[in-house]
Amino acid sequence: MLNGFFFIPLKRSSCFPYREQQQPAHAPDQDQHVPSRGPVRRNSYPCGGDYRVVGVTEFRDKLHTSRQGLRVRHMSPGGTPLRVLPPPPSAPKPLISSAAAHTHHSAAAGSQSAGDGNKNQSGNPPATATPSTNGAGQEQSKPLPPKNTNVVPKLKEPRSLYCVPRDIVPPRWPVGIEGVCPDPNLSHKHTSPPFVEEFYKRPSGANLRLLEKVDTDKDEGNVVYQLPPMRFPFYTRSRPAATLETIPLPLAHYPNDEVLRFESRFESANLFRARRVGPYEYELELRWDYFTMKHTQWFYFMASNTRAGPTYKFTIINLLKSGSLYNEGMKPLFYSERNAKNKNIGWVRTGHNIHYYKNNIRRKDCKGERYQYSLTWQFQFPHTGDVCYFAHCYPYTYTDLQADLLEIAKDPVKSQYVKQRILCHSLGGNMVHLLTVTTPSSHLTEAKQKRAVVVTSRVHPGETNSSYMMRGFINFITGPSPDAKVLRDNFVFKIVPMLNPDGVIVGNYRSSLAARDLNRNYKNPIKDAYPTIWSVKAMIRRMLTEREVVLYCDLHGHSRKMNVFMYGCENKEAAFRLHERVFPNMMGRNTSKFKYSSCRFKVQKKKEGTGRIVMWQQMGILNSFTMEATFAGYNNVHFSSKDLEDMGYHFCDTLLDYCDPDTTKVDHVLSNLTRIVKAQYAAKLGKNIDDIKDLPLEDMDFSDLESSDGGSDSSVSDGPPKLPMLRKKCASLQSKKKYKTRKERNMIHRQSRRRKPGAPETVKTQLTGSVVSESSKKEKQNKIKAERRYSASSGDSPPAVPKQSQGVPKHAQERIEERQAKVKDTGPCDYGAVTAGIFHPQSS
């Protein structure tokens, strides 16, 4: 409806924009009135129909459903039915304006009958109505609508850009990979083992130092598996898996051959080369993260043609981290298809004689005497002719995520308060999912009162334990429990379950297809290189304009520490001192798997590009955390996938306690934290806690109380992305002015204070070597100021600008000497006349 008129689609029967429809040649029936059709608006909509303008009082439609279909009954101003339109055949619906949305079905139903050559079902022209007459029998003329009436169509929403498909979409692979194997159907991979998996206990007397720098000849043995090299040294484009060659998986058993068959050309796998150095001994090399020469810690591959009985030995020879949890008792993961099929046993920890040590292979990604590390373990296969898998942690692929989200979308209850959208597409063209979980609000004011919680994960592809924590979090927050309902009623949850789908698909450990760590590029992300990071920041920035974000948490995995813990950001403001420690402390009270003593809140300069620090510094989110889960476990017991999912429940439980309107728990935790921190600070100073009892918290420095939160080999950014197509944009970003660091500013300040009073104001920094001369510029400025000051009081030329006295500000010293010179030359004078020229200069 537009300006009080309705538009009815008619048949396109004229090439003119407007024309008066001709009356039918035959005489209408006596009991029907034939109104004037009015002007017809010709359009170019896809349906191909015209629109007839009818007055509001003349067009009143009633919709009712019958067996014959949807019918539209037109009523005259007096309530007499004019005509009944038959149900139309299947035809495209016209795009109409939003104002006429309530007549959309009626207009679509009448478009076909009005456009079939103006004939009804009996073949005769349709009956029309004549204009109404007055008591004298004269026809009343009805005003026509203005001819400049425009029809504004409503375009369809681009649902394909943001709506999640109703089926699993195959992932896209970078060009250079010629073929992929079908993904293994590990139907029991989420099944927890029926027994407790304890850590490996190394025999007493074993010395790891004896294994360091063991000679390893890379040319020794026969290569039984090797991936083809990439055709390009950088990412160019991607293509769907359907366009790639499908490589069949190796058979489970080869009777006349005892050599293991390896394969890693499927999702998240990363074995590059396998070399047989003995009858049952193999050396393995992992593939670097694509387009890099580092980041090897995650491993996942398949082995078939197994033999039960003999002891196999596997050695991975190109790991990079100097420390590993394998020396603390961690075991590799093993999966057997026969065990899964016959015994319903999924991934289990296995292996013995497990060692992690330095070898004699020099690293290629850095200079100096730095070497790679080896992981070795021995193992006996349970079956002959079995297909088995080895992994660093429980695999969770991009296809697994789509299957979990598709299950939520098909649930009629969960789909009411879970909205799935596509946040953006990654550099490789894969979808990045965004979940919004909240109870629908009946009023806008009620919706705006809800606070927001942002949870992300899998920015590092090899940290698969973060996906299981995210899985448990989503399952609980979308579940039927009363606590979950309370959270949905009071919060809006924004969830990004996989920030780096490209790295997950190709089997990277840390980086994306841009060959950079995404968790070091939050500060100034480039949209074309890091679209997921840029979109997350834009989403949070837009949400902060609507509501408060009470908590931000990025889920990760840790390869050197035990238990689950958090990294936060220390707030030094008096009003929020120690408030960032409350949530982690409460979580440590709710579960024994979380260790508060391992939490760190120190903000390091090398970590300024991480998500938690950027959300704290740029977005102002007080509770900005990174929750780290170990790859091993706690209390000498391995974490199962169920244990990791339980951490999602404990996270939600802690959120309920933290945001409880009754602040008793929060106040109690905050008082305990204040007492503990003061005791630690007093011990550092060598004093008693009573001596600093009255010292405020904002005057205490807690930076020395914590050790570094390091644990990764990618602490700083590696520079611009490795993408030639963005070389110009990255060069323009690098050419921007770099501000001096705090160390450089302090050096300049100390040198300026050491200058003699008569020395020229020249500063030379030791760090940059730049020379800054300020004496000539300041002399000209002071001369101009002196001329302006004396122009109003006297016509004489001003005296030379005196030098600055030590310990007195320059402007104050100038005014003192000016007054003394004025009194000496002219005698006592009015003070107001002198100051008038100083503070109110006039143009000469």
Side-chain angles (χ1 to χ4, degrees):
M1 186 176 67
L2 186 65
N3 296 332
F5 297 93
F6 293 92
F7 295 86
I8 307 175
L10 301 174
K11 181 182 177 182
R12 178 176 297 180
S13 56
S14 174
C15 59
F16 299 98
Y18 295 90
R19 76 183 186 92
E20 193 74 21
Q21 296 289 337
Q22 301 295 331
Q23 299 292 338
H26 74 284
D29 297 336
Q30 298 297 327
D31 58 344
Q32 293 182 347
H33 301 280
V34 183
S36 175
R37 289 182 178 269
V40 176
R41 168 68 168 162
R42 185 174 178 81
N43 69 89
S44 58
Y45 298 103
C47 60
D50 295 331
Y51 288 88
R52 174 166 57 89
V53 182
V54 182
V56 178
T57 58
E58 184 181 347
F59 185 82
R60 298 177 181 176
D61 49 350
K62 294 183 179 180
L63 302 180
H64 63 88
T65 307
S66 62
R67 293 184 179 180
Q68 287 77 15
L70 186 65
R71 294 171 177 259
V72 180
R73 184 178 298 274
H74 292 188
M75 308 297 293
S76 66
T80 305
L82 298 181
R83 51 187 288 196
V84 176
L85 302 180
S90 58
K93 297 181 180 180
L95 299 176
I96 61 176
S97 62
S98 59
H102 61 282
T103 61
H104 178 70
H105 296 287
S106 63
S111 59
Q112 182 67 23
S113 61
D116 292 340
N118 292 335
K119 293 183 179 181
N120 53 20
Q121 294 179 349
S122 61
N124 299 325
T128 56
T130 57
S132 60
T133 58
N134 54 14
Q138 298 178 356
E139 183 180 298
Q140 294 180 352
S141 60
K142 295 183 178 180
L144 295 177
K147 291 189 177 183
N148 58 355
T149 303
N150 295 325
V151 178
V152 180
K154 179 181 178 182
L155 298 178
K156 291 183 178 179
E157 296 179 332
R159 298 181 62 85
S160 60
L161 298 180
Y162 64 88
C163 286
V164 180
R166 298 182 179 273
D167 199 359
I168 295 178
V169 179
R172 298 180 63 90
W173 294 77
V175 172
I177 299 177
E178 301 299 335
V180 293
C181 301
D183 292 335
N185 184 18
L186 307 183
S187 57
H188 302 282
K189 59 187 166 185
H190 299 307
T191 304
S192 299
F195 48 86
V196 177
E197 298 177 306
E198 296 183 353
F199 284 0
Y200 168 70
K201 296 180 180 179
R202 187 171 289 104
S204 60
N207 192 353
L208 291 178
R209 294 185 178 179
L210 298 178
L211 297 173
E212 290 188 358
K213 291 193 177 181
V214 175
D215 291 336
T216 303
D217 189 1
K218 298 181 66 174
D219 297 330
E220 181 184 357
N222 300 323
V223 176
V224 296
Y225 177 79
Q226 182 172 349
L227 285 178
M230 290 290 293
R231 294 188 300 172
F232 306 102
F234 47 81
Y235 172 77
T236 54
R237 57 188 178 89
S238 66
R239 55 181 179 175
T243 62
L244 300 176
E245 179 187 357
T246 302
I247 301 175
L249 291 172
L251 299 178
H253 184 53
Y254 296 85
N256 299 326
D257 192 356
E258 295 183 353
V259 179
L260 290 179
R261 298 296 195 272
F262 294 90
E263 187 55 74
S264 64
R265 285 173 287 187
F266 50 87
E267 252 188 280
S268 299
N270 66 337
L271 179 64
F272 175 69
R273 182 187 293 115
R275 185 183 295 107
R276 189 187 186 192
V277 296
Y280 302 105
E281 184 177 355
Y282 294 86
E283 283 187 354
L284 310 176
E285 289 185 50
L286 304 180
R287 177 184 49 77
W288 314 105
D289 282 7
Y290 269 104
F291 317 117
T292 69
M293 297 188 66
K294 56 182 178 180
H295 304 316
T296 52
Q297 190 70 25
W298 157 263
F299 61 87
Y300 178 34
F301 59 90
M302 187 195 76
S304 62
N305 194 31
T306 62
R307 295 291 185 273
T311 300
Y312 287 80
K313 182 179 179 181
F314 300 96
T315 304
I316 301 176
I317 64 174
N318 63 334
L319 300 174
L320 298 184
K321 290 192 175 183
S322 58
S324 175
L325 293 173
Y326 288 105
N327 286 336
E328 304 295 331
M330 178 178 165
K331 298 180 181 179
L333 275 167
F334 170 75
Y335 181 91
S336 170
E337 288 192 353
R338 284 198 180 181
N339 285 345
K341 182 179 180 181
N342 301 331
K343 302 180 182 180
N344 196 24
I345 297 177
W347 289 97
V348 294
R349 299 281 181 174
T350 187
H352 58 277
N353 289 338
I354 303 172
H355 301 288
Y356 188 92
Y357 55 92
K358 184 188 296 184
N359 57 35
N360 66 335
I361 304 176
R362 184 173 296 180
R363 293 179 57 170
K364 298 180 180 180
D365 62 315
C366 59
K367 298 180 180 179
E369 295 291 330
R370 300 187 65 181
Y371 295 89
Q372 298 178 2
Y373 290 80
S374 296
L375 169 66
T376 179
W377 75 94
Q378 293 180 356
F379 173 74
Q380 290 182 345
F381 288 101
H383 305 285
T384 299
D386 194 6
V387 177
C388 303
Y389 300 85
F390 291 94
H392 179 61
C393 190
Y394 302 98
Y396 190 91
T397 63
Y398 181 66
T399 304
D400 295 334
L401 173 65
Q402 293 190 75
D404 290 346
L405 297 183
L406 188 62
E407 183 179 354
I408 296 176
K410 292 181 179 179
D411 193 310
V413 178
K414 293 183 179 181
S415 58
Q416 295 179 3
Y417 44 78
V418 180
K419 182 186 296 183
Q420 299 187 32
R421 291 291 182 265
I422 298 176
L423 176 66
C424 64
H425 286 79
S426 62
L427 183 63
N430 295 290
M431 298 179 296
V432 179
H433 298 82
L434 171 65
L435 275 67
T436 303
V437 183
T438 187
T439 302
S441 302
S442 56
H443 301 285
L444 183 61
T445 56
E446 180 184 353
K448 290 184 177 180
Q449 292 176 356
K450 294 183 179 181
R451 293 182 290 179
V453 176
V454 181
V455 184
T456 62
S457 71
R458 211 64 185 278
V459 68
H460 293 151
E463 298 172 359
T464 58
N465 42 5
S466 64
S467 286
Y468 284 93
M469 290 192 296
M470 174 63 76
R471 191 167 183 249
F473 172 75
I474 295 176
N475 289 341
F476 177 80
I477 204 64
T478 60
S481 65
D483 290 346
K485 186 177 184 305
V486 171
L487 289 173
R488 294 194 298 265
D489 293 341
N490 294 274
F491 295 96
V492 177
F493 292 91
K494 293 288 185 177
I495 304 171
V496 185
M498 192 170 287
L499 280 170
N500 192 355
D502 297 339
V504 172
I505 292 169
V506 300
N508 284 359
Y509 170 60
R510 198 169 185 89
S511 61
S512 65
L513 291 181
R516 295 296 178 262
D517 186 353
L518 294 182
N519 201 34
R520 297 297 182 271
N521 291 278
Y522 272 89
K523 195 171 184 179
N524 297 304
I526 304 174
K527 184 178 180 180
D528 296 334
Y530 317 118
T532 58
I533 304 303
W534 187 92
S535 301
V536 167
K537 285 190 65 177
M539 181 265 293
I540 296 177
R541 187 180 292 109
R542 182 172 59 252
M543 188 168 50
L544 284 171
T545 61
E546 302 173 356
R547 54 177 50 89
E548 175 193 0
V549 178
V550 67
L551 187 140
Y552 165 85
C553 187
D554 190 16
L555 306 182
H556 283 258
H558 208 279
S559 62
R560 299 184 185 181
K561 288 184 179 182
M562 296 290 182
N563 302 285
V564 183
F565 52 92
M566 280 185 174
Y567 291 144
C569 302
E570 182 181 5
N571 297 285
K572 297 185 178 181
E573 299 181 10
F576 304 106
R577 194 65 164 163
L578 299 181
H579 280 236
E580 73 281 352
R581 302 170 184 249
V582 175
F583 187 88
N585 189 276
M586 296 178 71
M587 193 164 183
R589 295 168 181 263
N590 290 337
T591 173
S592 60
K593 301 172 186 175
F594 189 93
K595 190 175 182 181
Y596 174 75
S597 59
S598 298
C599 298
R600 297 292 179 266
F601 303 93
K602 186 177 181 180
V603 179
Q604 297 176 305
K605 183 176 178 58
K606 62 182 181 180
K607 300 292 183 69
E608 287 183 350
T610 59
R612 64 177 173 95
I613 296 181
V614 170
M615 298 305 167
W616 173 69
Q617 285 182 343
Q618 297 185 4
M619 306 296 182
I621 302 176
L622 178 66
N623 296 303
S624 181
F625 303 109
T626 295
M627 188 161 77
E628 304 270 353
T630 179
F631 285 104
Y634 76 111
N635 294 338
N636 295 326
V637 177
H638 285 92
F639 274 152
S640 64
S641 59
K642 181 65 168 55
D643 294 330
L644 295 172
E645 292 178 11
D646 289 343
M647 293 308 303
Y649 158 72
H650 294 304
F651 183 87
C652 297
D653 190 24
T654 307
L655 184 61
L656 275 175
D657 295 339
Y658 181 78
C659 298
D660 194 344
D662 184 8
T663 60
T664 304
K665 292 183 180 180
V666 175
D667 296 340
H668 175 70
V669 171
L670 192 60
S671 61
N672 287 341
L673 287 172
T674 304
R675 178 177 52 82
I676 294 173
V677 169
K678 282 189 175 182
Q680 294 176 352
Y681 188 74
K684 186 190 72 169
L685 298 178
K687 298 181 180 180
N688 193 1
I689 189 173
D690 295 333
D691 299 338
I692 61 172
K693 180 175 60 176
D694 298 331
L695 185 65
L697 289 175
E698 55 269 17
D699 295 339
M700 300 182 184
D701 186 12
F702 304 143
S703 59
D704 296 336
L705 300 180
E706 298 179 350
S707 60
S708 173
D709 59 349
S712 66
D713 53 357
S714 178
S715 295
V716 295
S717 177
D718 295 330
K722 194 175 180 181
L723 298 171
M725 66 282 295
L726 300 178
R727 189 172 300 169
K728 293 183 179 180
K729 180 176 293 188
C730 296
S732 63
L733 294 176
Q734 293 293 324
S735 62
K736 291 185 177 179
K737 179 181 178 181
K738 295 183 179 179
Y739 295 96
K740 293 182 175 64
T741 62
R742 179 178 296 179
K743 187 175 182 181
E744 294 174 343
R745 295 196 302 268
N746 292 340
M747 180 69 70
I748 296 172
H749 180 66
R750 286 195 296 267
Q751 290 185 359
S752 63
R753 293 184 63 181
R754 294 174 185 172
R755 291 198 311 267
K756 297 181 180 180
E761 300 178 2
T762 304
V763 180
K764 183 175 181 180
T765 62
Q766 297 179 359
L767 299 175
T768 59
S770 59
V771 178
V772 182
S773 180
E774 302 176 359
S775 58
S776 58
K777 294 182 179 179
K778 289 190 175 181
E779 287 178 1
K780 293 181 181 180
Q781 294 176 0
N782 294 336
K783 186 176 181 180
I784 295 173
K785 290 180 181 178
E787 291 177 355
R788 291 179 179 178
R789 290 170 182 169
Y790 280 90
S791 60
S793 58
S794 62
D796 300 334
S797 60
V801 178
K803 294 181 180 180
Q804 180 178 358
S805 299
Q806 188 174 5
V808 182
K810 190 170 183 179
H811 61 278
Q813 182 67 22
E814 288 179 356
R815 290 198 295 269
I816 293 172
E817 295 182 1
E818 288 169 1
R819 296 190 193 106
Q820 292 177 355
K822 194 70 174 178
V823 172
K824 184 177 180 181
D825 295 341
T826 61
C829 62
D830 186 10
Y831 177 75
V834 179
T835 58
I838 297 177
F839 296 101
H840 305 283
Q842 300 176 1
S843 59
S844 56

